[in-house]
Amino acid sequence: MTGTLPPDTGDQYLSLPGAHIVTTRALLAARENLADTIEARAMMCVYGDAGFGKTLAVNTCLRELEPGEEVRRITFRARPTARAVRHEIFAALGLKGDAPGAPSEFDRLLKDALATRPRTLVVDEAQWLNSEVFEYFRYLWDDYGTQLALVFVGGQGCYTVLRKEPMLASRIFIWQRFKPLTREEVLQVIPLFHPVWENAKENDIAFADEHAAHGNFRNWAWLTAQVRLGCKRLKREQVDTEVLRWAFSRLGES
């Protein structure tokens, strides 16, 4: 989806009822890093494997800065060309009329639009970008007239491409890698993540993390949805080992 930040109703995987955004060390760091990047009108790279909460953290923190900061978001689901990127930025900025046909004219239009006021452009799923496309974003950002902060959010692929290009890498103001929750963090934040874990025993939470969630928030959302069903099916008031084993059975592993 291209345009403004999505509503918070879609933040949680599976739109899990009752789930809360929990304040992890990574989210606190993202809040500070994004604020510093935007103040400097700089570029930031947020990266890590799937399910660690990168996009949720970025969206949550940037919503806190609106409406004082105008944020526009672009998401790629396939490898784009520079031409496709021009059209996505055109749409994200809400520019009127037909897009220019000539690249030079199109570039001038985008640079003029980006010079009118400060904006933050979030590029999600940035692992789909290649060197040429990253270079195009740098070209727009480098222009003396544009007032642009850029936030690239993606998997290890975007980090790898950026690091291989010295001209691009040297312009990244902050790099933030999202990693799995540690066991300590799991025991601290999962009881706050969803009511189903609120009164669960620490041993059961640790058991769930070791066998299914592995410090991954998307896995925890999946497991929480299964555990809610398991408590109903097995007529349990709260999570126990039997409920967890019922949920694990749905992983399809031997």
Side-chain angles (χ1 to χ4, degrees):
M1 181 177 67
T2 293
T4 57
L5 292 173
D8 58 10
T9 52
D11 278 348
Q12 298 289 354
Y13 178 60
L14 300 173
S15 298
L16 183 65
H20 304 290
I21 293 173
V22 290
T23 305
T24 62
R25 287 195 287 268
L27 188 142
L28 288 172
R31 181 177 289 141
E32 184 176 275
N33 291 340
L34 286 163
D36 290 345
T37 297
I38 289 169
E39 183 178 0
R41 293 291 138 196
M43 290 195 280
M44 178 177 175
C45 178
V46 182
Y47 68 98
D49 290 336
F52 292 155
K54 304 180 299 294
T55 298
L56 182 148
V58 169
N59 287 345
T60 298
C61 295
L62 289 177
R63 287 191 197 104
E64 295 172 359
L65 299 177
E66 294 179 319
E69 178 67 21
E70 183 178 322
V71 181
R72 292 292 179 266
R73 178 175 177 265
I74 296 175
T75 300
F76 297 105
R77 300 297 179 189
R79 299 195 180 279
T81 61
R83 179 178 181 276
V85 171
R86 289 185 181 94
H87 282 274
E88 290 295 329
I89 298 174
F90 183 90
L93 297 180
L95 301 179
K96 305 299 182 183
D98 296 328
S104 59
E105 186 181 351
F106 210 154
D107 293 345
R108 191 178 309 112
L109 173 69
L110 293 179
K111 287 193 288 187
D112 287 347
L114 291 169
T116 58
R117 57 185 176 275
R119 290 186 178 90
T120 293
L121 191 61
V122 180
V123 184
D124 203 3
E125 303 295 348
Q127 69 272 11
W128 290 109
L129 306 185
N130 58 27
S131 178
E132 177 191 9
V133 173
F134 275 122
E135 179 63 24
Y136 184 73
F137 279 111
R138 184 203 63 78
Y139 164 75
L140 294 178
W141 179 83
D142 262 353
D143 188 90
Y144 73 92
T146 59
Q147 303 178 64
L148 182 63
L150 278 170
V151 181
F152 298 110
V153 185
Q156 294 289 345
C158 72
Y159 171 83
T160 302
V161 172
L162 282 168
R163 280 298 191 191
K164 285 181 177 178
E165 300 291 335
M167 287 186 64
L168 294 171
S170 66
R171 286 166 169 77
I172 299 296
F173 186 55
I174 296 175
W175 303 82
Q176 182 176 351
R177 180 185 176 190
F178 272 65
K179 303 177 182 179
L181 297 172
T182 65
R183 180 58 55 83
E184 178 188 5
E185 286 180 295
V186 166
L187 296 177
Q188 288 175 347
V189 305
I190 294 306
L192 305 174
F193 171 59
H194 195 280
V196 78
W197 304 107
E198 196 171 33
N199 298 311
K201 296 176 182 178
E202 283 196 355
N203 286 346
D204 287 332
I205 294 175
F207 181 66
D209 191 58
E210 180 180 352
H211 287 80
H214 312 298
N216 183 301
F217 259 119
R218 191 172 300 165
N219 291 347
W220 270 108
W222 176 90
L223 182 60
T224 301
Q226 299 295 349
V227 163
R228 291 176 74 239
L229 291 172
C231 286
K232 291 179 183 177
R233 300 280 171 83
L234 301 176
K235 296 181 170 36
R236 297 290 196 275
E237 292 297 323
Q238 66 180 57
V239 180
D240 59 22
T241 303
E242 188 176 356
V243 170
L244 290 175
R245 291 193 183 281
W246 182 92
F248 297 165
S249 73
R250 295 190 158 196
L251 284 170
E253 299 175 350
S254 57

